Amino acid sequence: MDDMVIFLNSKEELIELLESIKKWLDENLILTLKPPATMINTRIHGLPFLGFRVFSNFIRVKSQNLQRIKKKLNERKKQFENGLITEDSYTLSISAMFEHIGFARSFNLRQKYIRFWADIE
């Protein structure tokens, strides 16, 4: 694991912890953090992380990732309708993508779109 997110109540606490982490990594593992990937951000804007925007009390799917998922689901639906993939493969694709976005606050979104992609009336 090389990605992590830390939430604290103050910027000062974050700066202090970041310095401690840098020191520990340098002294114990001879590693350094990548400056562009190491950021201190306010909780108001959230933090882009692994295809999501992470806030202190919830997670949202990043819009560009949602667009990519919609495109992929549409491709899978066409492949299934044209007999290029099996029903099992189609179902597994939908399940995998919905499981992925399930980490975010996305229940209503999943309910809305699953009817289209699965042809549920």
Side-chain angles (χ1 to χ4, degrees), residues 14-115:
L14 283 169
I15 292 169
E16 187 177 311
L17 180 60
L18 179 58
E19 291 307 315
S20 296
I21 290 170
K22 286 179 182 179
K23 182 179 178 187
W24 189 90
L25 287 171
D26 182 51
E27 292 174 356
N28 296 287
L29 301 176
I30 312 167
L31 293 174
T32 58
L33 298 174
K34 293 186 294 185
T38 305
M39 65 179 84
I40 294 178
N41 197 357
T42 65
R43 63 181 171 193
I44 295 169
H45 298 107
L47 174 72
F49 187 72
L50 302 175
F52 297 95
R53 183 158 292 276
V54 179
F55 296 85
S56 60
N57 58 345
F58 65 94
I59 300 171
R60 288 207 170 131
V61 181
K62 287 176 68 177
S63 59
Q64 59 263 41
N65 286 1
L66 185 56
Q67 293 304 317
R68 193 175 312 120
I69 288 170
K70 286 179 185 179
K71 181 179 176 184
K72 191 64 139 177
L73 286 169
N74 283 327
E75 288 172 6
R76 290 288 187 260
K77 183 175 182 176
K78 287 177 186 172
Q79 289 171 343
F80 174 66
E81 290 171 345
N82 292 323
L84 300 173
I85 60 173
T86 65
E87 183 176 353
D88 286 344
S89 180
Y90 179 53
T91 302
L92 287 172
S93 292
I94 290 173
S95 296
M97 290 181 229
F98 277 79
E99 285 294 322
H100 176 71
I101 66 172
F103 287 103
R105 185 180 282 180
S106 64
F107 179 79
N108 290 337
L109 174 76
R110 287 178 283 145
Q111 291 298 308
K112 176 181 173 183
Y113 288 109
I114 198 164
R115 285 181 177 81

